[in-house]
Amino acid sequence: MEKEIVNKVALSGIITIDLETFYPQGNRVVLDIKEHLFQGLILKEKDFREFVKNEDWSKYTDKFVALICSADAVVPTWAYMLLAIKLEPYVKKVVFGDLETLETILYNEILNKLNFDEYKDARVVIKGCGHLPVPKAAYVEITRLLRPIVKSVMYGEACSMVPLYKQRKQI
């Protein structure tokens, strides 16, 4: 007599959320102001404005752009603002910060637009270990958004979940 194999995970009612499914497609680019500093230290307004005027901003079309200055230099805020003005008509998104900051901002925007009604009183596992650069901040944000409405939050894979939160029964 053969014993039937039962998939207990499938029967558990656990909902898996894979943050990679929300990953915005598109090229990520870092625009480093360092390349436009005088002797790598000083932003000269006239030279910088000349660069901004002559740059072909269309090369950033449909890209996600992170603005940084990797040099230990004081860059006035208006310089980043001027770059954002020039990039905005072309890019999908422009942010101040590195690539992780860019990913964090993208994920926060996406997650905060989602309707979480389907997760009310659900047991949820947030899938980990993917192939795309999902920032840790996205895991924190989705946990923050889910905690008030779900029965439980776990992390990992259905076969090896780490319990994080379990709603207390109300009397």
Side-chain angles (χ1 to χ4, degrees):
M1 176 187 235
E2 284 185 38
K3 187 173 182 180
E4 183 180 342
I5 298 173
V6 177
N7 184 340
K8 291 180 181 179
V9 174
L11 298 174
S12 69
I14 294 173
I15 299 172
T16 299
I17 298 175
D18 182 354
L19 289 175
E20 284 191 349
T21 62
F22 303 116
Y23 187 79
Q25 296 301 311
N27 292 333
R28 275 79 165 144
V29 177
V30 173
L31 197 162
D32 190 348
I33 284 184
K34 175 180 127 177
E35 309 303 321
H36 307 288
L37 298 177
F38 177 70
Q39 295 183 342
L41 298 170
I42 301 166
L43 186 133
K44 286 183 156 183
E45 182 176 355
K46 183 179 177 186
D47 294 347
F48 187 73
R49 286 189 180 274
E50 191 66 26
F51 151 70
V52 169
K53 178 182 169 190
N54 295 323
E55 182 70 5
D56 176 14
W57 298 104
S58 67
K59 70 183 179 184
Y60 294 97
T61 298
D62 293 330
K63 295 182 179 175
F64 297 100
V65 180
L67 301 175
I68 65 165
C69 181
S70 63
D72 188 17
V74 176
V75 177
T77 303
W78 63 259
Y80 298 106
M81 296 167 68
L82 187 58
L83 291 174
I85 287 169
K86 291 298 187 176
L87 287 164
E88 192 277 328
Y90 301 99
V91 301
K92 288 183 177 180
K93 184 77 173 175
V94 59
V95 303
F96 173 79
D98 59 15
L99 289 176
E100 186 165 350
T101 301
L102 173 64
E103 297 298 347
T104 297
I105 290 170
L106 292 174
Y107 266 95
N108 280 348
E109 288 178 352
I110 291 164
L111 294 175
N112 283 290
K113 288 180 185 174
L114 294 178
N115 180 355
F116 286 91
D117 290 345
E118 69 182 281
Y119 303 110
K120 181 144 178 64
D121 296 324
R123 296 173 62 211
V124 177
V125 61
I126 301 167
K127 185 176 183 230
C129 303
H131 303 292
L132 297 173
V134 177
K136 288 177 181 60
Y139 290 93
V140 171
E141 184 64 6
I142 194 143
T143 303
R144 182 189 72 78
L145 293 166
L146 288 170
R147 198 223 38 91
I149 62 170
V150 299
K151 281 187 180 174
S152 63
V153 175
M154 296 158 279
Y155 171 80
E157 304 293 327
C159 61
S160 61
M161 297 177 280
V162 177
L164 302 172
Y165 167 77
K166 187 170 186 174
Q167 184 183 70
R168 290 193 172 133
K169 293 181 183 179
Q170 298 196 359
I171 301 172

